[in-house]
Amino acid sequence: MDLLQLDIQTKLLHPHTSHPLNSHTFPIFQSSTFIFDSTQHGADLFMGKGEGHIYSRLGNPTVELYEEMVRDLEGAAGSLAFGSGMGAINSSTFPFLKSGDHLIAGDTLYGCTVSLFEYWAPRFGIQVSFIDTSSVEDVKKAWKENTKMVYIETPANPTCKVSDIVSIAAFCKEKKAKLVVDGTFTSPYYLKPLELGADISLHSITKYMNGHGDVVGGVTSCKNIEDYNQIKSFRKDFGSLMAPMDAFLCIRGLKTLPLRMEVHMQNGIKVAKFLESHPKVKKVNHPWLESFKGHEIAIKQMKGCGSTFSFEMESFESAKKLLEGLKICSLAVSLGTLDTLIEHPASMTHAAVPEDLMKKQGLTRELVRISVGVEKIDDIIADLKQALDKC
Ligand SMILES: Cc1ncc(COP(=O)(O)O)c(C=O)c1O
């Protein structure tokens, strides 16, 4: 039997790592430092020679097991875990950019990613253009001599805008620029950006990848080992490694990713169809609906979808009534947890986005974002129905 050919659902449950003391689950190495056998052993490890660990900011066995599991899932040369999704984002972009470089960023991104590029990047001399990356032509038109990177979210938060990874990656390759993809809305179970040509694939694992809503974390995966080494070196000096306890929880969470994603996907589609047919809802942005603008590209590049999407109510007042009238769904930010979460992007997750960019991407005050959980879906639909009836 070829163990390398196992299905990912089996591989995630049987990682090829020997567990200390025959422990069934891999232990939490809750240790900041590691003891050397001799001065030569310590010196060798610092030179990158020999077996062993030095200090947990440089690498920790529990975190490394998690990284290996993600590497196999993404088909990457290497993966690196961080203390947050934002840690993964700045560590996957800044090490490859310097003062005077130009970055093309999607015009629809998570609010803090927008502030990272809008506020912080220019302070380091990096120029940023926010472009509608669902149009490859717009990406080409925005290109400058000094463009070194394209950064996209697909499907993007919160309007689910879909960008064509294959076409953008081909153009980046021609221009010798990097393509970085945030696939948080889907998880690598359904979307594998590296296979489609991207250089770096990253996730907020706070969301679907961990799924239980008990860890804030991020992970980035690289197609080539040079990029991996560059990010690893940046992480060592900027210090945003994931904690061992969090890695333990993320290993546990990742083991059920296939099971969770399949239920999330089916539940999300059912809720999207229910909302689409409801008279109080103006528009639903869900990549699996045929009415959705990016549907064709979505079904071409994704094997399935997550359960986070947005929809527009008639007015801000009715959106507010809906959010406050729900009895089961929780009014909270974040997404991809086992239970259903609902929020108001314009005043919450995307409050930091400048007004012109909100307008450009159709992020209105009437927009509501929902992350459908794995509950018995009839209960969630009944909850939405009773709240919508009062709007
Ligand atoms: C698409 C996306 N990327 C990145 C992040 C940042 O992740 P974290 O909150 O884990 O830092 C978020 C957070 O909501 C997100 O929605």
Side-chain angles (χ1 to χ4, degrees):
M1 187 176 188
D2 184 355
L3 294 181
L4 291 173
Q5 296 306 316
L6 293 175
D7 185 85
I8 193 66
Q9 188 163 333
T10 312
K11 272 194 203 163
L12 286 172
L13 296 171
H14 297 271
H16 292 300
T17 306
S18 58
H19 292 189
L21 302 173
N22 291 344
S23 160
H24 180 226
T25 55
F26 196 80
I28 307 169
F29 279 82
Q30 197 69 37
S31 184
S32 54
T33 196
F34 296 83
I35 298 167
F36 306 129
D37 299 337
S38 63
T39 44
Q40 188 58 50
H41 180 221
D44 283 349
L45 290 178
F46 269 91
M47 293 308 292
K49 286 191 271 177
E51 292 283 312
H53 288 83
I54 300 174
Y55 183 68
S56 277
R57 177 162 44 76
L58 280 56
N60 173 283
T62 316
V63 179
E64 283 165 5
L65 174 62
Y66 179 66
E67 291 171 341
E68 283 164 21
M69 289 167 74
V70 176
R71 179 199 62 199
D72 290 351
L73 184 58
E74 291 266 22
S79 300
L80 293 154
F82 297 86
S84 71
M86 290 313 302
I89 294 169
N90 73 59
S91 304
S92 305
T93 49
F94 282 54
F96 303 103
L97 299 167
K98 60 180 186 333
S99 178
D101 286 348
H102 175 238
L103 163 73
I104 293 180
D107 64 5
T108 309
L109 300 171
Y110 167 59
C112 292
T113 312
V114 173
S115 21
L116 179 70
F117 295 152
E118 156 96 5
Y119 179 73
W120 292 107
R123 288 169 71 105
F124 293 95
I126 299 159
Q127 304 162 22
V128 183
S129 307
F130 291 97
I131 300 298
D132 176 3
T133 53
S134 69
S135 157
V136 183
E137 281 317 303
D138 282 12
V139 173
K140 290 183 181 172
K141 269 191 237 152
W143 209 269
K144 297 183 182 180
E145 285 229 315
N146 54 344
T147 305
K148 293 286 158 51
M149 179 178 281
V150 175
Y151 182 96
I152 59 173
E153 264 176 34
T154 185
N157 189 355
T159 55
C160 290
K161 181 182 275 192
V162 170
S163 297
D164 179 346
I165 298 177
V166 171
S167 305
I168 299 176
F171 191 65
C172 285
K173 199 166 181 200
E174 189 188 315
K175 297 286 186 185
K176 297 192 170 37
K178 289 200 189 302
L179 173 61
V180 181
V181 178
D182 178 339
T184 298
F185 261 39
T186 313
S187 92
Y189 185 60
Y190 285 139
L191 174 68
K192 295 192 196 293
L194 302 183
E195 284 180 3
L196 299 173
D199 299 282
I200 294 171
S201 164
L202 64 88
H203 299 269
S204 162
I205 43 186
T206 317
K207 315 295 167 16
Y208 290 104
M209 284 190 76
N210 181 46
H212 292 68
D214 46 15
V215 170
V216 171
V219 71
T220 193
S221 301
C222 304
K223 190 157 59 187
N224 69 61
I225 203 71
E226 292 79 18
D227 289 352
Y228 165 85
N229 286 332
Q230 176 86 340
I231 297 174
K232 193 170 184 187
S233 165
F234 184 91
R235 185 182 67 173
K236 167 178 74 67
D237 297 341
F238 280 72
S240 49
L241 189 94
M242 168 173 273
M245 172 74 188
D246 287 352
F248 174 83
L249 292 169
C250 289
I251 290 167
R252 180 210 54 185
L254 198 60
K255 287 180 180 178
T256 57
L257 182 75
L259 306 177
R260 290 185 284 107
M261 288 315 293
E262 286 179 17
V263 183
H264 274 302
M265 177 175 169
Q266 295 313 325
N267 279 1
I269 292 171
K270 281 185 191 154
V271 171
K273 286 187 175 161
F274 161 75
L275 291 170
E276 199 175 37
S277 68
H278 199 284
K280 298 270 174 70
V281 176
K282 254 174 46 185
K283 185 184 171 205
V284 180
N285 304 311
H286 187 296
W288 244 242
L289 292 182
E290 278 174 28
S291 57
F292 183 69
K293 190 175 162 234
H295 177 67
E296 291 301 317
I297 302 285
I299 57 170
K300 204 167 115 193
Q301 72 186 9
M302 288 150 66
K303 292 198 178 80
C305 61
S307 61
T308 305
F309 60 96
S310 54
F311 56 97
E312 250 177 48
M313 299 291 292
E314 289 290 340
S315 63
F316 172 62
E317 278 62 41
S318 59
K320 199 165 163 257
K321 268 194 191 155
L322 167 68
L323 292 167
E324 292 175 359
L326 291 160
K327 297 189 190 314
I328 305 173
C329 308
S330 301
L331 176 55
V333 296
S334 202
L335 58 102
T337 54
L338 293 166
D339 55 324
T340 300
L341 305 178
I342 194 157
E343 64 112 14
H344 183 245
S347 65
M348 297 174 185
T349 45
H350 292 71
V353 177
E355 237 179 271
D356 58 331
L357 207 53
M358 278 208 198
K359 237 189 187 157
K360 207 171 153 193
Q361 58 175 275
L363 204 170
T364 63
R365 272 166 60 78
E366 294 82 52
L367 198 76
V368 171
R369 190 189 78 186
I370 187 165
S371 163
V372 180
V374 299
E375 300 96 337
K376 190 82 180 162
I377 202 56
D378 294 349
D379 293 335
I380 297 303
I381 291 175
D383 191 23
L384 286 163
K385 186 171 178 324
Q386 65 79 26
L388 280 168
D389 288 348
K390 292 188 206 127
C391 288

